[in-house]
Amino acid sequence: MKIIKIALLSICITALTSCASGYKMINPESINYISNNTLNDVTLEYKYDLLDKKYAKKELKKGIKLLAVKITNNSDRDLTFGKDIKLTYENGNEIFVIENEKVFKTLKQSPASYLWYLLLSPVNLYTSKSTNGTQEDTSSIPIGLILGPGLAGGNMIAAGSANKKFNTEMLKYNINGTIINKGKTVYGLIGIRTNSFDAIKLKLE
């Protein structure tokens, strides 16, 4: 019985620390950008470290960083991001910008991964009494039938809702191929394959 209680306690602790994460909207327009770079009247401002919780862990695990960018075109011509405007590191190496759809699919939570909570379904809560110094089980309550499906369903719904918000922002702020008219400012979210927070520079074609 003691072993069962320890196992149940371990499962409960794991359940509490493995819950789905919410998604905090990034809103690139509202960010206070610190890092910037200007070239030929075109200014790039950007910020790393946008995601938290499970999404941030996925960034680290998959080697992808999500950045918010603000590009202001004060030149005398319209520019297309990805064609006329490209990004490089300080050493001049060009940065490959990953398609937003792929970034989302790589970093999103997996609702199906929470089905393991169904393993809690057979768990029973036993009550006991002491008779002549001996502990006897008097009844059992099948709490797992509520706990398992409840945790699985709740976390799947939470993960799905968070992913929906994440996907909405990635679609809204997809600037790959976007024309930035002269005198205009455009905000976007981009994913790059890196594990560091290297400085980024503009490259104009």
Side-chain angles (χ1 to χ4, degrees):
M1 181 62 69
K2 185 176 181 180
I3 295 176
I4 294 176
K5 289 181 178 179
I6 293 174
L8 179 59
L9 179 61
S10 299
I11 291 173
C12 290
I13 291 174
T14 301
L16 291 173
T17 57
S18 302
C19 294
S21 295
Y23 176 77
K24 183 179 179 181
M25 301 298 280
I26 297 169
N27 296 318
E29 293 99 334
S30 64
I31 290 177
N32 180 26
Y33 295 91
I34 298 175
S35 302
N36 62 79
N37 173 250
T38 300
L39 178 65
N40 296 341
D41 297 321
V42 179
T43 300
L44 164 72
E45 298 175 73
Y46 62 94
K47 188 178 189 305
Y48 286 99
D49 199 23
L50 304 173
L51 300 173
D52 58 8
K53 300 179 181 178
K54 287 188 177 294
Y55 293 106
K57 290 179 180 179
K58 274 288 191 75
E59 270 190 311
L60 184 62
K61 181 179 179 181
K62 299 296 183 178
I64 290 178
K65 287 282 188 292
L66 185 68
L67 288 81
V69 296
K70 174 184 178 182
I71 301 176
T72 303
N73 181 11
N74 286 322
S75 70
D76 57 1
R77 64 190 178 109
D78 297 339
L79 301 168
T80 301
F81 186 84
K83 180 182 178 183
D84 306 309
I85 298 178
K86 296 183 179 180
L87 305 178
T88 70
Y89 292 114
E90 287 281 7
N91 60 10
N93 289 340
E94 189 170 314
I95 297 172
F96 174 72
V97 177
I98 307 170
E99 288 293 332
N100 280 27
E101 182 180 358
K102 184 174 182 179
V103 175
F104 167 71
K105 288 182 177 179
T106 303
L107 300 182
K108 70 176 182 178
Q109 297 181 72
S110 173
S113 67
Y114 298 104
L115 287 173
W116 73 269
Y117 280 114
L118 294 177
L119 295 175
L120 295 173
S121 296
V123 174
N124 292 315
L125 178 64
Y126 292 93
T127 58
S128 60
K129 67 177 182 179
S130 178
T131 303
N132 298 324
T134 302
Q135 289 290 121
E136 294 181 355
D137 291 333
T138 56
S139 63
S140 64
I141 303 172
I143 61 171
L145 294 178
I146 298 175
L147 189 63
L151 286 171
N155 278 283
M156 290 177 74
I157 291 172
S161 176
N163 283 339
K164 185 177 181 179
K165 292 179 181 178
F166 182 26
N167 191 37
T168 297
E169 272 210 313
M170 293 301 290
L171 290 173
K172 180 179 179 180
Y173 294 104
N174 182 8
I175 65 169
N176 289 317
T178 296
I179 297 175
I180 306 172
N181 298 116
K182 53 188 178 182
K184 298 295 183 179
T185 296
V186 171
Y187 297 86
L189 292 172
I190 62 172
I192 62 176
R193 195 167 294 282
T194 181
N195 282 313
S196 59
F197 297 89
D198 295 325
I200 294 176
K201 299 176 64 176
L202 280 169
K203 177 182 178 182
L204 302 180
E205 298 290 348

